[in-house]
PDB file of all heavy atoms in Angstrom:
ATOM      1  N   LEU B  19      78.556 118.507 127.631  1.00 98.00           N
ATOM      2  CA  LEU B  19      78.385 117.602 126.502  1.00 98.00           C
ATOM      3  C   LEU B  19      77.206 116.702 126.812  1.00 98.00           C
ATOM      4  O   LEU B  19      76.292 116.493 125.965  1.00 98.00           O
ATOM      5  CB  LEU B  19      79.644 116.732 126.346  1.00 98.00           C
ATOM      6  CG  LEU B  19      79.526 115.550 125.351  1.00 98.00           C
ATOM      7  CD1 LEU B  19      79.629 116.108 123.946  1.00 98.00           C
ATOM      8  CD2 LEU B  19      80.571 114.496 125.573  1.00 98.00           C
ATOM      9  N   LEU B  20      77.119 116.134 128.014  1.00 98.00           N
ATOM     10  CA  LEU B  20      76.017 115.224 128.352  1.00 98.00           C
ATOM     11  C   LEU B  20      74.701 115.975 128.265  1.00 98.00           C
ATOM     12  O   LEU B  20      73.717 115.436 127.722  1.00 98.00           O
ATOM     13  CB  LEU B  20      76.189 114.705 129.763  1.00 98.00           C
ATOM     14  CG  LEU B  20      77.101 113.436 129.843  1.00 98.00           C
ATOM     15  CD1 LEU B  20      77.165 113.055 131.365  1.00 98.00           C
ATOM     16  CD2 LEU B  20      76.464 112.326 129.094  1.00 98.00           C
ATOM     17  N   LEU B  21      74.677 117.195 128.706  1.00 98.00           N
ATOM     18  CA  LEU B  21      73.394 117.977 128.671  1.00 98.00           C
ATOM     19  C   LEU B  21      72.977 118.241 127.191  1.00 98.00           C
ATOM     20  O   LEU B  21      71.886 118.110 126.872  1.00 98.00           O
ATOM     21  CB  LEU B  21      73.608 119.307 129.378  1.00 98.00           C
ATOM     22  CG  LEU B  21      73.555 119.198 130.867  1.00 98.00           C
ATOM     23  CD1 LEU B  21      73.876 120.554 131.508  1.00 98.00           C
ATOM     24  CD2 LEU B  21      72.094 118.806 131.301  1.00 98.00           C
ATOM     25  N   GLY B  22      73.983 118.547 126.354  1.00 98.00           N
ATOM     26  CA  GLY B  22      73.710 118.799 124.995  1.00 98.00           C
ATOM     27  C   GLY B  22      73.103 117.521 124.325  1.00 98.00           C
ATOM     28  O   GLY B  22      72.176 117.569 123.535  1.00 98.00           O
ATOM     29  N   LEU B  23      73.673 116.388 124.646  1.00 98.00           N
ATOM     30  CA  LEU B  23      73.184 115.064 124.104  1.00 98.00           C
ATOM     31  C   LEU B  23      71.760 114.818 124.605  1.00 98.00           C
ATOM     32  O   LEU B  23      70.872 114.416 123.865  1.00 98.00           O
ATOM     33  CB  LEU B  23      74.039 113.976 124.446  1.00 98.00           C
ATOM     34  CG  LEU B  23      75.515 114.039 123.832  1.00 98.00           C
ATOM     35  CD1 LEU B  23      76.402 112.850 124.354  1.00 98.00           C
ATOM     36  CD2 LEU B  23      75.396 113.914 122.251  1.00 98.00           C
ATOM     37  N   GLN B  24      71.574 114.963 125.962  1.00 98.00           N
ATOM     38  CA  GLN B  24      70.287 114.682 126.485  1.00 98.00           C
ATOM     39  C   GLN B  24      69.158 115.562 125.939  1.00 98.00           C
ATOM     40  O   GLN B  24      68.025 115.161 125.678  1.00 98.00           O
ATOM     41  CB  GLN B  24      70.341 114.815 128.058  1.00 98.00           C
ATOM     42  CG  GLN B  24      70.959 113.587 128.699  1.00 98.00           C
ATOM     43  CD  GLN B  24      71.556 113.889 130.100  1.00 98.00           C
ATOM     44  OE1 GLN B  24      71.652 115.004 130.510  1.00 98.00           O
ATOM     45  NE2 GLN B  24      71.943 112.824 130.818  1.00 98.00           N
ATOM     46  N   GLN B  25      69.564 116.820 125.732  1.00 98.00           N
ATOM     47  CA  GLN B  25      68.603 117.747 125.229  1.00 98.00           C
ATOM     48  C   GLN B  25      68.032 117.383 123.814  1.00 98.00           C
ATOM     49  O   GLN B  25      66.904 117.394 123.532  1.00 98.00           O
ATOM     50  CB  GLN B  25      69.296 119.117 125.103  1.00 98.00           C
ATOM     51  CG  GLN B  25      68.307 120.300 125.039  1.00 98.00           C
ATOM     52  CD  GLN B  25      69.035 121.568 125.458  1.00 98.00           C
ATOM     53  OE1 GLN B  25      70.297 121.677 125.518  1.00 98.00           O
ATOM     54  NE2 GLN B  25      68.254 122.630 125.883  1.00 98.00           N
ATOM     55  N   ARG B  26      69.024 116.985 122.947  1.00 98.00           N
ATOM     56  CA  ARG B  26      68.593 116.611 121.616  1.00 98.00           C
ATOM     57  C   ARG B  26      67.990 115.210 121.560  1.00 98.00           C
ATOM     58  O   ARG B  26      66.993 114.955 120.810  1.00 98.00           O
ATOM     59  CB  ARG B  26      69.770 116.614 120.708  1.00 98.00           C
ATOM     60  CG  ARG B  26      69.337 116.203 119.250  1.00 98.00           C
ATOM     61  CD  ARG B  26      70.457 116.278 118.225  1.00 98.00           C
ATOM     62  NE  ARG B  26      70.081 115.789 116.950  1.00 98.00           N
ATOM     63  CZ  ARG B  26      69.934 116.500 115.813  1.00 98.00           C
ATOM     64  NH1 ARG B  26      70.173 117.772 115.895  1.00 98.00           N
ATOM     65  NH2 ARG B  26      69.650 115.916 114.665  1.00 98.00           N
ATOM     66  N   PHE B  27      68.536 114.251 122.305  1.00 98.00           N
ATOM     67  CA  PHE B  27      68.155 112.857 122.094  1.00 98.00           C
ATOM     68  C   PHE B  27      67.202 112.265 123.116  1.00 98.00           C
ATOM     69  O   PHE B  27      66.597 111.257 122.873  1.00 98.00           O
ATOM     70  CB  PHE B  27      69.412 111.978 122.042  1.00 98.00           C
ATOM     71  CG  PHE B  27      70.253 112.240 120.790  1.00 98.00           C
ATOM     72  CD1 PHE B  27      71.381 113.094 120.883  1.00 98.00           C
ATOM     73  CD2 PHE B  27      69.906 111.742 119.625  1.00 98.00           C
ATOM     74  CE1 PHE B  27      72.130 113.379 119.773  1.00 98.00           C
ATOM     75  CE2 PHE B  27      70.704 112.033 118.466  1.00 98.00           C
ATOM     76  CZ  PHE B  27      71.759 112.812 118.487  1.00 98.00           C
ATOM     77  N   GLY B  28      66.995 112.999 124.246  1.00 98.00           N
ATOM     78  CA  GLY B  28      66.054 112.503 125.220  1.00 98.00           C
ATOM     79  C   GLY B  28      66.320 111.057 125.640  1.00 98.00           C
ATOM     80  O   GLY B  28      67.502 110.738 125.994  1.00 98.00           O
ATOM     81  N   GLU B  29      65.409 110.237 125.421  1.00 97.00           N
ATOM     82  CA  GLU B  29      65.580 108.772 125.857  1.00 97.00           C
ATOM     83  C   GLU B  29      66.625 108.021 124.962  1.00 97.00           C
ATOM     84  O   GLU B  29      66.971 106.917 125.304  1.00 97.00           O
ATOM     85  CB  GLU B  29      64.221 108.056 125.859  1.00 97.00           C
ATOM     86  CG  GLU B  29      63.339 108.505 126.937  1.00 97.00           C
ATOM     87  CD  GLU B  29      62.093 107.611 127.035  1.00 97.00           C
ATOM     88  OE1 GLU B  29      61.853 106.791 126.091  1.00 97.00           O
ATOM     89  OE2 GLU B  29      61.367 107.717 128.035  1.00 97.00           O
ATOM     90  N   ARG B  30      66.913 108.640 123.825  1.00 98.00           N
ATOM     91  CA  ARG B  30      67.899 108.010 122.940  1.00 98.00           C
ATOM     92  C   ARG B  30      69.273 108.249 123.402  1.00 98.00           C
ATOM     93  O   ARG B  30      70.252 107.878 122.765  1.00 98.00           O
ATOM     94  CB  ARG B  30      67.634 108.460 121.478  1.00 98.00           C
ATOM     95  CG  ARG B  30      66.388 107.927 120.896  1.00 98.00           C
ATOM     96  CD  ARG B  30      66.329 108.073 119.401  1.00 98.00           C
ATOM     97  NE  ARG B  30      66.053 109.397 118.978  1.00 98.00           N
ATOM     98  CZ  ARG B  30      66.771 110.136 118.128  1.00 98.00           C
ATOM     99  NH1 ARG B  30      67.856 109.591 117.514  1.00 98.00           N
ATOM    100  NH2 ARG B  30      66.374 111.314 117.789  1.00 98.00           N
ATOM    101  N   CYS B  31      69.443 108.954 124.520  1.00 98.00           N
ATOM    102  CA  CYS B  31      70.713 109.177 125.166  1.00 98.00           C
ATOM    103  C   CYS B  31      70.739 108.465 126.478  1.00 98.00           C
ATOM    104  O   CYS B  31      69.861 108.768 127.397  1.00 98.00           O
ATOM    105  CB  CYS B  31      70.996 110.704 125.339  1.00 98.00           C
ATOM    106  SG  CYS B  31      72.420 111.046 126.352  1.00 98.00           S
ATOM    107  N   ASN B  32      71.551 107.436 126.693  1.00 98.00           N
ATOM    108  CA  ASN B  32      71.375 106.505 127.793  1.00 98.00           C
ATOM    109  C   ASN B  32      72.715 106.317 128.532  1.00 98.00           C
ATOM    110  O   ASN B  32      73.711 106.074 127.991  1.00 98.00           O
ATOM    111  CB  ASN B  32      70.895 105.181 127.214  1.00 98.00           C
ATOM    112  CG  ASN B  32      70.315 104.250 128.275  1.00 98.00           C
ATOM    113  OD1 ASN B  32      70.902 104.152 129.339  1.00 98.00           O
ATOM    114  ND2 ASN B  32      69.223 103.645 127.960  1.00 98.00           N
TER     115      ASN B  32
END
Side-chain angles (χ1 to χ4, degrees):
Chain B
L19 172 80
L20 273 180
L21 282 173
L23 293 174
Q24 281 159 348
Q25 199 159 19
R26 177 177 176 113
F27 292 99
E29 290 189 348
R30 291 194 282 130
C31 172
N32 196 317

